[in-house]
Every structure is written in structure tokens, then in C-alpha cells.
């Protein structure tokens, strides 16, 4: 027994020390090298993309170093970035068998603010899509429209709000594609009001107001000169538009509660993909904190989430806790090295994973998902309980 105990300890240390894989090993590189039809530094065939991490590998082959670094960068020593991926392994699935799953493929759509979308995930706001392809965000908008998927356009895009508006599809959502528009506040609030007006004129379905980047020096100066706290600015934004306002960057149950109390139409759990604050919690950790402390939030407003999502099972885990829609940013930026067709392929791969994983989980509809499908014991060890 003594030797067994020592062996067990050594195995634990070895597993704990295993290196972090920047790109998940899907077997793509071995396949490409073995095929003899691919040269390192060139773009693999789109037909060889079988999972979202494949697009990251492909993008690294062809992007300029500085463009790759922009997409890949994270805060500090990148603990938050790594945790966004590692945390999914702490939440095991609890499948149910002998259930009716036949119609799941027809029941993965969602509704947000009166708009129906074909899947419970969306293209999250990510800046500078033009680094991957000359058409940049136009590819994202067109692919989302053709797949009836929500696209949340980034404010800091390579194409303007108006240019993106020009390529919206005209055969969905009562005659015209609906896009949600991300907005940042600016030290000159007249710029913010102008951005709001432009979004309204181009038919935005909602405003996604990002709140998790106060460390930017421009915004710090803006707050200093305006003499307003963030909630005062939110109230002004609220008074200037009748569009739904979703607050992006929620990282605690306290902020979630206050956002709902102050009239936010939705909340958006995010740690900016690990890019903003090191040691910030992952989306599933925040979703669980809300579930344990204030589960009624999920009934009061739609809850969106992003950061570190790469698989259909990641999406299902967040939905099981009460999240309504799950965003992905980097995977679609990487897929854009293939242009429009790459975005389409990525969307369809993830839809298929959600259906396949959902079948094996034992659900016939997204409505069947609930926290009992998850083993949350590991998360429970770290969650902040308000009554403690």
C-alpha cells in the first residue's frame, strides 16, 4: 500500500505538471505531415478542418506574426487564458440514457429579444477581422446571415457599421438580417452617442455595452473628466436608445444583480477571452456563482456568455446552468483565413457537435437541459456564496 500511495502521488504530480496545449491536439498536424500533400507555412485544405481548434492551427501557418499575436494575446502571464480552457474539465457531464433524442436537430434554435436564431451560439465581438482576410467582418456577417446565426459586431472592426450593414442578408428576420452592435464608452461621450445613433440607423437588434475594460487609459481619462461613474453613463445610454442593452463583462453575481436591478435588458458573462485581467474567472465559474447565489437572474433576463468556448460540450455546459446564448470570438477570427467558406464550415461544425453531444447526453431539446446534467462538485469548492 505504501508503494501504491507513492505511485499515486507521482502520477498526480505528473498530471498536474503536464504542459498546456496552446492548440488542442486533434490529430490534424500528424495527418497533414503524413499525407505528404502539405507544406508547413501554407494553408491546409478547408476539407481537413474537423473541429474548431483546427482553424487556429491553420491560421498560425499563414498570418503575419504581429497579426497572429494580436488575435492570440492574453493578459499578464496568461493564467486567465489557460484557465478558460482548463476549467471545462472540472465540470463532468451526467448523461441520461433511454430518452427520446430523435428531434434534437430540429430543436437547437433560440430566441433573443423577439429574434429567432438557428443555434444557441453566436459570433462574439472580436476586433480587427481584417487581419485574417481582406473582407474582414463582411465574411462574418454574410455567413451568419446565411446560417441564421446571431452576429455581434465589434466596434473596433476593420469595416464600418455602415459597410457591414450593406451586406446584411434580406431573407431572414422579417425581411432583413439582425446584428447586435458592441459599443464602448469614450472619453468624449459625443462619440458614444454617435455610435449609438449609427447602430440604430442600421437596424441593430440590441446594443452590447462592454464594461470590463476600464483599465484602458483613454477611458480612465474620460471618467476623470466626465465626473460620472459607470452607472451614470449606463443611465445616459439607456435614455438615448430604445434598443435592448446587454452589459458585457459581468464577472460576479454582485454585478449581475446590480445590472438587472438597474434595468439592463440582458447580461453577458465574459472575461474578454482572458485578454483584460489576469486571474479573472471563466464564464462557467461565473455562471455557477450566479446559479448558486441568484438563480432567478436566468429567468429575469437573457444571459449570454463567452471566453474559452471551443466545443459543443462547452456550449451545452453553459446552457445547462441557464445561459441562453454562447459566444465565440477567436475561432471565427481564425476560420476567416479561409474567408466566407471558412466561417460557414466553423458554424456547421459547432452545430453538429452540439447535436451529437446532445444526443449522447440524452436531450431531445435545449429545453431539457438543467444543472442536474452536470457534476458541479469541483466548482462548488471555489464558488463565492453571498451568505458566507
Amino acid at each position: 500500500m505504501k508503494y501504491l500511495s507513492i505511485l499515486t502521488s507521482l502520477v498526480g504530480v505528473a498530471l498536474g505538471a503536464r504542459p498546456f496545449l496552446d492548440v488542442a491536439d486533434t490529430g490534424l498536424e500528424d495527418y497533414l505531415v503524413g499525407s505528404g500533400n502539405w507544406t508547413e507555412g501554407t494553408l491546409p485544405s478547408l476539407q481537413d478542418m474537423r473541429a474548431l481548434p483546427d482553424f487556429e492551427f491553420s491560421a498560425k501557418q499563414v498570418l503575419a506574426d504581429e497579426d497572429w499575436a494580436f488575435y492570440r494575446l492574453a493578459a499578464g502571464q496568461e493564467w486567465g487564458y489557460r484557465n478558460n480552457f482548463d476549467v471545462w474539465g472540472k465540470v463532468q457531464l451526467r448523461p441520461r440514457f433511454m430518452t427520446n433524442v430523435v428531434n434534437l436537430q430540429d430543436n437547437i434554435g433560440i430566441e433573443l429579444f423577439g429574434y429567432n436564431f438557428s443555434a444557441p451560439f453566436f459570433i462574439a465581438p472580436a476586433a480587427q477581422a481584417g487581419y485574417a482576410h481582406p473582407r474582414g467582418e463582411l465574411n462574418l456577417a454574410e455567413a451568419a446571415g446565411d446560417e441564421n446565426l446571431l452576429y455581434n459586431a465589434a466596434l473596433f472592426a476593420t469595416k464600418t457599421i455602415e459597410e457591414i450593414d450593406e451586406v446584411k442578408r434580406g431573407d431572414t428576420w422579417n425581411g432583413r438580417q439582425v446584428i447586435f452592435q458592441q459599443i464602448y464608452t469614450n472619453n468624449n461621450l459625443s462619440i458614444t452617442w454617435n455610435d449609438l445613433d449609427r447602430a440604430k440607423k442600421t437596424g441593430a437588434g440590441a446594443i452590447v455595452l462592454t464594461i470590463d475594460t476600464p483599465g484602458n487609459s483613454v477611458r480612465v481619462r474620460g471618467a476623470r473628466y466626465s465626473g460620472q461613474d459607470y452607472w451614470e453613463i449606463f443611465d445616459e445610454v439607456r435614455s438615448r436608445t430604445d434598443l435592448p442593452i446587454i452589459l458585457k463583462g459581468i464577472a460576479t453575481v454582485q454585478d449581475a444583480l446590480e445590472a438587472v436591478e438597474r434595468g439592463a435588458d440582458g447580461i453577458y458573462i465574459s472575461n474578454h477571452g482572458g485578454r483584460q485581467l489576469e486571474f479573472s474567472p471563466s464564464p462557467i465559474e461565473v455562471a455557477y456563482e450566479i446559479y448558486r447565489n441568484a438563480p432567478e437572474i436566468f429567468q429575469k433576463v437573457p444571459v449570454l456568455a463567452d471566453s474559452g468556448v471551443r466545443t459543443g460540450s462547452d456550449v451545452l455546459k453553459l446552457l445547462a446552468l441557464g445561459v441562453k446564448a454562447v459566444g465565440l470570438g477567436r475561432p471565427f477570427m481564425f476560420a476567416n483565413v479561409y474567408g466566407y467558406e471558412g466561417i460557414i464550415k466553423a458554424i456547421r461544425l459547432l452545430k453538429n457537435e452540439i447535436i451529437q453531444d446532445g444526443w449522447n447526453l440524452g436531450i431531445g431539446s435545449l429545453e431539457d437541459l438543467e444543472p442536474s446534467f452536470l457534476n458541479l462538485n469541483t466548482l462548488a469548492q471555489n464558488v463565492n456564496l453571498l451568505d458566507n
Side-chain angles (χ1 to χ4, degrees):
M1 294 296 294
K2 174 182 178 183
Y3 295 109
L4 177 61
S5 176
I6 294 173
L7 179 61
T8 301
S9 298
L10 290 175
V11 170
V13 170
L15 290 175
R18 68 181 186 271
F20 172 76
L21 294 177
D22 197 0
V23 181
D25 183 6
T26 67
L28 174 62
E29 185 172 7
D30 290 341
Y31 170 78
L32 292 173
V33 172
S35 71
N37 297 321
W38 174 77
T39 303
E40 185 175 0
T42 64
L43 195 62
S45 170
L46 181 57
Q47 70 179 7
D48 291 330
M49 302 298 102
R50 302 299 174 87
L52 294 187
D54 291 346
F55 290 104
E56 184 167 354
F57 172 86
S58 296
K60 192 169 187 179
Q61 303 304 311
V62 296
L63 286 178
D65 289 344
E66 60 270 26
D67 296 339
W68 167 259
F70 177 81
Y71 284 151
R72 171 54 183 81
L73 67 82
Q77 302 304 302
E78 301 190 343
W79 181 93
Y81 174 85
R82 296 194 302 273
N83 181 60
N84 280 349
F85 298 118
D86 291 341
V87 72
W88 303 110
K90 299 177 182 178
V91 182
Q92 296 177 333
L93 294 171
R94 301 181 67 247
R96 314 281 174 79
F97 301 116
M98 305 300 289
T99 59
N100 184 358
V101 301
V102 174
N103 296 318
L104 178 60
Q105 67 268 29
D106 300 319
N107 290 288
I108 65 166
I110 60 169
E111 177 271 328
L112 283 173
F113 304 114
Y115 304 108
N116 294 312
F117 302 98
S118 66
F121 64 92
F122 62 94
I123 300 176
Q128 306 302 329
Y131 290 173
H133 193 279
R135 297 190 76 249
E137 292 78 12
L138 305 185
N139 291 331
L140 301 173
E142 290 174 343
D146 289 340
E147 286 291 315
N148 193 15
L149 195 76
L150 172 61
Y151 173 38
N152 186 176
L155 180 63
F156 297 132
T158 49
K159 302 297 182 182
T160 66
I161 293 174
E162 292 76 18
E163 287 173 322
I164 295 171
D165 180 57
E166 289 177 0
V167 302
K168 287 178 181 175
R169 297 320 202 199
D171 56 356
T172 53
W173 297 290
N174 296 320
R176 198 147 191 271
Q177 179 181 355
V178 169
I179 290 175
F180 291 4
Q181 179 62 54
Q182 181 202 34
I183 294 290
Y184 287 92
T185 57
N186 191 284
N187 64 314
N188 180 351
L189 287 177
S190 65
I191 296 177
T192 302
W193 310 147
N194 182 58
D195 291 336
L196 282 173
D197 290 341
R198 294 167 66 203
K200 179 66 178 294
K201 288 177 181 177
T202 53
I207 296 298
V208 175
L209 184 60
T210 297
I211 63 173
D212 64 345
T213 54
N216 182 288
S217 61
V218 173
R219 296 187 192 98
V220 170
R221 291 178 186 274
R224 182 173 293 118
Y225 288 118
S226 68
Q228 295 175 299
D229 65 23
Y230 181 79
W231 289 114
E232 290 175 336
I233 295 176
F234 167 75
D235 290 339
E236 282 200 50
V237 173
R238 170 82 287 170
S239 70
R240 287 175 177 267
T241 181
D242 56 0
L243 293 173
I245 298 177
I246 304 166
L247 292 185
K248 179 180 184 292
I250 298 295
T252 64
V253 66
Q254 289 91 345
D255 278 354
L257 285 166
E258 186 165 11
V260 173
E261 180 181 348
R262 289 179 175 270
D265 299 292
I267 64 171
Y268 190 150
I269 299 168
S270 175
N271 68 6
H272 227 85
R275 295 168 71 90
Q276 192 64 22
L277 175 66
E278 190 164 19
F279 301 106
S280 56
S282 71
I284 200 164
E285 290 170 312
V286 179
Y288 180 64
E289 182 179 317
I290 294 172
Y291 162 71
R292 285 293 303 272
N293 290 286
E296 69 277 5
I297 285 177
F298 294 109
Q299 304 303 318
K300 290 182 177 180
V301 298
V303 178
L304 286 63
D306 74 16
S307 298
V309 177
R310 295 295 183 272
T311 68
S313 62
D314 296 344
V315 174
L316 292 173
K317 288 175 182 180
L318 284 167
L319 298 181
L321 283 174
V323 171
K324 187 68 175 288
V326 178
L328 297 90
R330 285 185 179 99
F332 290 112
M333 297 295 106
F334 296 137
N336 202 24
V337 295
Y338 292 95
Y340 166 88
E341 294 296 338
I343 307 300
I344 290 287
K345 182 73 177 283
I347 291 171
R348 292 178 180 174
L349 283 172
L350 190 54
K351 283 183 177 179
N352 184 62
E353 284 189 12
I354 290 170
I355 293 168
Q356 296 283 347
D357 288 340
W359 280 338
N360 288 307
L361 188 58
I363 61 172
S365 167
L366 297 183
E367 299 299 321
D368 295 339
L369 285 169
E370 58 183 19
S372 65
F373 278 97
L374 308 177
N375 182 338
L376 298 164
N377 290 337
T378 302
L379 287 186
Q381 297 173 12
N382 300 319
V383 70
N384 173 48
L385 294 177
L386 293 183
D387 56 358
N388 279 358

